[in-house]
Amino acid sequence: MSNFINIALPKGRLGEKVYNLFEKLGYGCPALLENTRKLVFEDEQNGVRYFWVKPSDVAIYVETGVADVGVVGKDIILEQNPDVYELLDLGFGKCRMAVAGKKGEMLPLDRTVKVATKFPNIAKRHFASKSREIDIIKLNGSIELAPILGMADVIVDIVETGTTLKENNLEVYEDIVNISARFIANKTGFRFKTEEIELMKSKIEKEIAQ
Amino acid sequence: MSTNNTLSFEERISMKLAELFTSFGYKKFKMSKFEEYDLYIENKSFLKSENIIAFNDPTGKLLALKPDVTLSIAKNTADRETEPRRLFYSENVYRVSGNMHEFKEIPQIGLEFIGEVDDYSLCEVLTIAKKALAVISDRYVLDISHMGLLIGLLEATGLPYAEREEITALIGTKNAHEIRRICNENGVAPDLCEKIVTLAGLYGSMDKILPLAEKLVVNDTTANAVNELKTICHILRADGSHNLNIDFSVVSDISYYNGITFRGFVENVPGCILSGGRYDNLLKKLGKTSGAVGFAVYMDLLSYLNKESGNFDADVLLIYDSTTPAEVVLSTVADLRAEGLRVFASTGECKNIKYKKIIRIGEEG
């Protein structure tokens, strides 16, 4: 068990992209591509074990040490602040965290701002740094609806291309931070599988530098 | 019946740790559960979490449930005693921890050396830390660092305090890419920036890391740090350098810790189970001139190692019926106990306890 590197990957497009990269670097696990409902995949030859998990859970799997390493968006790291090593910026899955609201309007200055978001901690920190008082409305999806229906003044959310905002007659008021995929490691796992993890890190580093 | 059956895994470990500490001449220090609230507010950044349970005592004075033990010991130790104080404690602290951000009672065992800290006393504490980890698990690592290297490199950058703090936190997560970003944004010389990045990434045995650390020297602070680290490692090597690593991502608050810092990890426990270092600066803040070094073991994390839940609650389930006189049951229990068996007497079968076998007495038995 302990010789395997346990890798947590986010389900979805980002996870698949990461897997393709890892496969290219010698961490393949053909069983992963078979269309099954399994969640754990092992490849003895390459010494890897993959878990598909919900993107927002990757950091938790790594922090608790069930996974030694994982790939997760910086948004999740900033929101959850997990106690892990952030070893690399993979440079893909790029987007930004931004404050957005109805087109042509502005952040209200004379009252408490109502903010709808999936990322309450990031929103709180951002507005606290500007000395603004806010009310957080925590939503789990379709954040754009909130300002349209008048439930919130603004949203704090991930913006990739801006198409969804445009289609809903919203626009970015200000950027908070740039987001991309990060390669993270468990602090204990790193100590007991140092060679394996450092080798993996340097392989990825070389590959993304190209 | 051996003590192994009656003591829990945590109790056995804490007993062995107490034995280990006393064998080096450390004395147990029992303290009150509360402390004046002001002590923690004045030293907020020394604490792992800022949340404190505070309440009023009958006279209206604001007290707090201890979130930390070291502060109390440091405060209550008289200054400049001619002889060193060697103390250990086993206390509960109250902190917000975990994902749910709730207050928790965390059992903590630790040790403090207060007085003139020389090479021997530093190595003594490190050796005890290493032995403490060995008590907990065969698979352990003690990572040693020296805050002087980081402090010296940050001095050389001339960055303001906020950025220094940010970089310190990033070193703790080995986050090279964002250290580079901050250095770029603030115009830190590229070669100095690369030295800080290298510092974050260095991890491994003393033999591998010490020569690399020497290349990071830029000023007196860093030079002194590397020299002290070399001396300490040289002394510790005599006891075997196995399980000892150097890791400069082991950082503690720079305003309290000034020299050697260390963290202990054991396999299958996420996060560090032992943490310590030299904290002369804390004593200075409390108006004292002695030096101090110590560490704490987070006993709550032992639950990751304790896999004993499959044990039996009793060896024998003794079932008696209404026809059996109580004195017969009592003497049967006595006989079984005399054989060294654990007995659970009941009038019927029990679903909620685990036992090895059933003995029935009485007419039905």
Side-chain angles (χ1 to χ4, degrees), chain A residues 91-159:
Chain A
F92 51 77
K94 271 190 184 161
C95 52
R96 58 204 163 119
M97 185 69 68
V99 181
K102 276 192 193 161
K103 210 169 173 178
E105 290 183 21
M106 272 167 38
L107 201 66
L109 288 173
D110 53 350
R111 56 185 166 86
T112 304
V113 186
K114 285 205 182 70
V115 182
T117 185
K118 259 197 275 188
F119 303 95
N121 293 328
I122 295 176
K124 250 186 256 174
R125 265 203 308 267
H126 174 70
F127 285 102
S129 76
K130 313 212 149 201
S131 305
R132 291 305 310 272
E133 191 182 356
I134 59 167
D135 273 338
I136 298 238
I137 300 168
K138 166 91 165 73
L139 295 176
N140 294 304
S142 307
I143 316 290
E144 295 82 6
L145 262 177
I148 297 173
L149 301 179
M151 179 161 71
D153 300 307
V154 292
I155 63 172
V156 166
D157 204 14
I158 287 173
V159 180

Side-chain angles (χ1 to χ4, degrees), chain A residues 63 74 86 88 182 188 191, chain B residues 143 173 177-178 247 269 271:
Chain A
E63 187 179 22
K74 182 70 181 175
E86 185 182 323
L88 285 173
R182 308 293 159 100
T188 305
R191 287 171 163 84
Chain B
D143 289 340
T173 62
H177 40 280
E178 291 192 19
D247 179 4
V269 175

Side-chain angles (χ1 to χ4, degrees), chain B residues 50-341:
Chain B
E50 289 186 9
N51 301 74
I52 296 166
I53 305 180
F55 57 96
N56 291 98
D57 83 348
T59 65
K61 202 162 63 176
L62 199 53
L63 296 180
L65 280 174
K66 289 194 303 283
D68 171 274
V69 178
T70 305
L71 266 174
S72 304
I73 292 189
K75 187 192 87 173
N76 293 320
T77 313
D79 193 30
R80 267 294 152 207
E81 289 179 25
T82 44
E83 36 195 277
R85 298 262 277 162
R86 285 183 164 90
L87 301 168
F88 79 92
Y89 59 86
S90 169
E91 299 280 340
N92 288 325
V93 296
Y94 302 85
R95 283 181 189 161
V96 170
S97 89
N99 289 328
M100 299 310 292
H101 293 284
E102 279 175 349
F103 275 109
K104 273 195 177 163
E105 184 180 61
I106 301 167
Q108 191 175 309
I109 291 183
L111 156 166
E112 317 287 350
F113 176 98
I114 297 175
E116 200 73 45
V117 180
D118 56 11
D119 288 347
Y120 167 74
S121 35
L122 205 47
C123 290
E124 176 187 281
V125 172
L126 282 163
T127 305
I128 301 172
K130 195 177 143 190
K131 288 186 190 296
L133 289 168
V135 164
I136 295 165
S137 168
D138 300 332
R139 297 270 294 160
Y140 69 90
V141 181
L142 183 66
D143 289 340
I144 307 175
S145 173
H146 197 298
M147 290 299 290
L149 257 169
L150 174 62
I151 293 171
L153 284 169
L154 289 176
E155 268 169 22
T157 62
L159 287 173
Y161 185 75
E163 275 76 20
R164 290 191 196 190
E165 251 193 342
E166 213 173 328
I167 290 180
T168 307
L170 290 171
I171 292 218
T173 62
K174 294 189 182 284
N175 188 335
H177 40 280
E178 291 192 19
I179 296 174
R180 283 204 185 95
R181 180 180 59 81
I182 293 182
C183 287
N184 272 337
E185 284 171 5
N186 291 283
V188 174
D191 63 319
L192 189 56
C193 166
E194 279 315 303
K195 283 196 164 114
I196 299 176
V197 167
T198 309
L199 186 77
L202 286 184
Y203 182 79
S205 66
M206 306 172 182
D207 297 326
K208 184 180 144 198
I209 301 300
L210 280 176
L212 298 171
E214 273 180 71
K215 293 186 187 151
L216 301 178
V217 170
V218 291
N219 49 19
D220 286 351
T221 319
T222 44
N224 292 340
V226 172
N227 280 336
E228 192 179 359
L229 200 55
K230 267 164 77 181
T231 314
I232 296 300
C233 288
H234 180 75
I235 302 168
L236 289 176
R237 195 174 282 143
D239 190 40
S241 57
H242 194 58
N243 295 344
L244 282 180
N245 276 330
I246 292 183
D247 179 4
F248 292 110
S249 80
V250 169
V251 291
S252 307
D253 193 292
I254 41 181
S255 44
Y256 292 92
Y257 289 93
N258 55 318
I260 298 276
T261 51
F262 50 96
R263 296 265 197 285
F265 290 80
V266 303
E267 201 171 38
N268 298 327
V269 175
C272 79
I273 194 165
L274 181 151
S275 155
R278 184 162 180 180
Y279 54 92
D280 298 6
N281 286 352
L282 171 67
L283 276 99
K284 234 180 259 169
K285 285 205 169 186
L286 293 169
K288 304 181 182 195
T289 49
S290 344
V293 53
F295 64 83
V297 181
Y298 308 116
M299 301 297 282
D300 55 322
L301 295 178
L302 288 178
S303 59
Y304 284 97
L305 297 173
N306 188 4
K307 305 280 188 245
E308 289 178 353
S309 55
N311 275 3
F312 291 99
D313 300 311
D315 297 308
V316 177
L317 175 68
L318 180 68
I319 297 183
Y320 61 94
D321 59 26
S322 51
T323 63
T324 325
E327 51 269 37
V328 175
V329 183
L330 209 54
S331 72
T332 315
V333 169
D335 292 346
L336 290 167
R337 284 182 54 243
E339 289 172 41
L341 297 169

Side-chain angles (χ1 to χ4, degrees), chain A residues 180-192:
Chain A
S180 57
R182 308 293 159 100
F183 179 61
I184 59 172
N186 175 268
K187 290 193 170 179
T188 305
F190 180 82
R191 287 171 163 84
F192 293 95

